[in-house]
Amino acid sequence: MRTRLSFDEAQGLVLSDVLRLPGETIVLDAALGRIVDVDMYARFALPGFANAAMDGYALSAADLERAAIQGLPVSGTILAGDTREHVLRDGSAFAIMTGAPMPLGADTVVIQEQARREGDQVWLPADARPGANVRPADDDCAEGARVAAAGETLTPARIAVLASAGFPEVDVVRRPRVAVLATGDELVPPERPLGHGQRYDSNGPLLRGLVTDAGADIVEVRCCGDCPEQLRRALQDFVAREVDLILTCGGVSAGAADHLPATIAALGEIVFWKVRMKPGMPVLYGRIGTTRVLALPGNPVSVGVTFELLARPLLDRLLGRSSAATFPVRMAVGLRKNHARMEFLRVTLENDKEGRWLATPLEHQGSGALTSLASAQALVRLEEGQREYQPGDVVQASRLPGGNL
Ligand SMILES: Nc1nc2c(c(=O)[nH]1)N[C@H]1C(S)=C(S)[C@@H](COP(=O)(O)OP(=O)(O)OC[C@H]3O[C@@H](n4cnc5c(N)ncnc54)[C@H](O)[C@@H]3O)O[C@H]1N2
Ligand code: MOO
């Protein structure tokens, strides 16, 4: 077991310990937010047939002059959805509507508003541009072009692309199955009044939201006391249900009721325990069989921060997608750290006059200050060893969910 390692080492160990989950086939209608498993290619060009981009008249550009001087006979009207293959006779035109297939031999559409129609004859302006208002058959995408890339998130627009390419189903990466165990004798169910020293579980709801936001499935969120037997039963139950990741919170530091490390060690193995970071120092990572276990320190802010920094990247890895990159911001104020560990500050962000991000730390940075986690837009990383920061110093930031950026 490693202990007191740096945050970067800890994150590296977590990431190198998991692989992308296998794929599964689902209907396109259920695919929003899912991750594409394998590259997908168009089996035909899109839209697949040359069609009119405007309502008007389809003709051959060679007949434009004649159309202006003596007019052209109109052979008929082609509507969108007309499945007949019309052929244009020399020296004639078809009335055609937006999206309707171009008749064979026509290469230009002149819009309705520029046409003068008398009975079955139409006059069109001589200066119409040859080839105007026609969408070629591969206007949107060529046959064989990639229409979805492995690892990308299925957005509404990407789903629409697959729908237009005729895919009713899509192969996506299976969602990680996650169980949450909130531990602590002080936790009381929401329907019961609080006694002295008791509190309601907020870590369970926090992790339910974060796990869902990260694109994983919650198998169960369970609250249990600090008793080692209860902890063991809960962990074994989750492992038996083949979850990919167990997230526990609380009971992982040095207190008399902190039984999780010993319980996890007895059932499986601890990869690391305690990381040189603040908040979240007591965090533990291990395995029970093939199930990964991240034991997050119980303080509510530590739960949120260690989830973002260790659990979310792990879930990203299981999903086969790259994690959001950090980005540079400038400190709006100077500050002094009174320890050497890496620290993650909760900040709000605004743009300075040059449009660069400026980070202001929230006032209350304590590990129990859940309200400041809710107000924060990003986490700023203060490097190990560096104690002094001046206004304007550049630091790395990562977005928090719902940070409205
Ligand atoms: N002697 C030491 N004391 C502490 C250390 C240490 O290294 N040596 N580490 C401190 C740090 S840092 C943290 S963080 C906490 C984490 O300890 P635990 O993981 O054992 O967490 P608990 O003691 O069980 O709880 C801490 C705190 O959070 C509240 N909590 C816990 N679960 C929930 C929940 N589901 N919903 C709401 N609030 C919860 C709990 O009541 C405590 O107030 O230890 C420090 N101490
Ligand atoms: O995780 Mo503890 O502060 O570092 O609360």
Side-chain angles (χ1 to χ4, degrees):
M1 176 189 85
R2 302 275 311 274
T3 189
R4 304 217 162 266
L5 58 171
S6 72
F7 166 72
D8 290 331
E9 285 175 293
Q11 196 186 51
L13 282 175
V14 169
L15 292 181
S16 62
D17 192 44
V18 292
L19 294 172
R20 194 174 78 148
L21 293 171
E24 61 185 1
T25 305
I26 60 167
V27 293
L28 204 56
D29 287 352
L32 186 64
R34 299 295 298 268
I35 311 297
V36 177
D37 186 41
V38 285
D39 288 352
M40 296 173 77
Y41 298 92
R43 293 169 299 192
F44 48 86
L46 295 177
F49 55 95
N51 62 94
M54 301 288 268
D55 303 322
Y57 289 87
L59 72 161
S60 163
D63 292 329
L64 272 169
E65 208 179 300
R66 182 167 174 183
I69 298 165
Q70 59 193 88
L72 300 177
V74 179
S75 311
T77 301
I78 312 175
L79 304 178
D82 190 335
T83 55
R84 294 168 294 176
E85 289 191 39
H86 295 278
V87 180
L88 189 75
R89 276 184 291 108
D90 278 350
S92 71
F94 268 102
I96 194 163
M97 303 302 133
T98 305
M102 289 291 285
L104 204 68
D107 56 14
T108 302
V109 170
V110 177
I111 64 171
Q112 187 95 38
E113 293 85 333
Q114 294 176 346
R116 183 167 58 84
R117 174 90 179 249
E118 280 175 24
D120 283 342
Q121 195 77 359
V122 68
W123 281 261
L124 303 169
D127 60 351
R129 187 174 56 79
N133 302 316
V134 178
R135 291 193 198 111
D138 59 357
D139 182 47
D140 194 8
C141 133
E143 180 183 336
R146 190 168 67 180
V147 284
E152 88 175 306
T153 302
L154 286 163
T155 59
R158 185 58 63 193
I159 288 172
V161 169
L162 296 181
S164 78
F167 291 104
E169 294 178 330
V170 54
D171 289 344
V172 294
V173 181
R174 173 168 77 68
R175 278 179 192 271
R177 291 163 48 77
V178 181
V180 171
L181 185 63
T183 71
D185 287 340
E186 71 276 31
L187 304 178
V188 168
E191 64 278 5
R192 287 230 306 264
L194 290 179
H196 180 65
Q198 295 184 320
R199 61 195 301 172
Y200 295 121
D201 170 31
S202 59
N203 290 342
L206 173 64
L207 286 172
R208 180 188 289 280
L210 291 172
V211 166
T212 307
D213 179 73
D217 279 340
I218 284 283
V219 172
E220 186 183 338
V221 176
R222 191 185 297 189
C223 255
C224 84
D226 287 313
C227 143
E229 184 51 27
Q230 267 190 54
L231 297 175
R232 187 181 61 78
R233 273 208 307 274
L235 293 174
Q236 281 179 318
D237 179 31
F238 291 152
V239 171
R241 287 156 71 190
E242 297 185 335
V243 303
D244 300 297
L245 174 66
I246 299 174
L247 290 172
T248 69
C249 49
V252 77
S253 62
D258 294 340
H259 302 301
L260 260 171
T263 309
I264 294 166
L267 293 174
E269 67 173 306
I270 297 178
V271 175
F272 65 76
W273 181 23
K274 297 181 181 164
V275 175
R276 300 194 305 268
M277 63 188 282
K278 182 181 165 50
M281 185 277 288
V283 65
L284 177 155
Y285 179 69
R287 286 184 287 261
I288 304 175
T290 57
T291 297
R292 269 59 181 180
V293 185
L294 253 177
L296 311 180
N299 276 323
V301 170
S302 312
V303 170
V305 170
T306 48
F307 180 91
E308 290 303 331
L309 298 170
L310 295 169
R312 190 185 289 273
L314 183 155
L315 293 173
D316 283 338
R317 180 60 65 100
L318 289 174
L319 283 163
R321 69 175 165 203
S322 41
S323 296
T326 58
F327 56 101
V329 301
R330 284 177 161 69
M331 295 295 294
V333 293
L335 56 87
R336 200 184 149 67
K337 262 200 290 147
N338 59 4
H339 60 86
R341 275 178 291 161
M342 180 173 283
E343 180 160 354
F344 293 92
L345 284 183
R346 280 149 276 157
V347 301
T348 55
L349 295 177
E350 61 189 332
N351 284 125
D352 65 12
K353 281 196 235 65
E354 283 83 44
R356 300 171 304 193
W357 288 119
L358 209 55
T360 305
L362 281 141
E363 205 168 312
H364 194 359
Q365 292 286 334
S367 289
L370 194 48
T371 50
S372 88
L373 184 65
S375 305
Q377 290 174 296
L379 291 175
V380 147
R381 168 179 161 140
L382 303 184
E383 298 299 327
E384 195 162 47
Q386 185 177 348
R387 293 190 182 235
E388 291 268 343
Y389 284 86
Q390 306 297 332
D393 279 355
V394 176
V395 289
Q396 289 298 312
S398 44
R399 288 182 166 81
L400 287 170
N404 301 328
L405 294 178

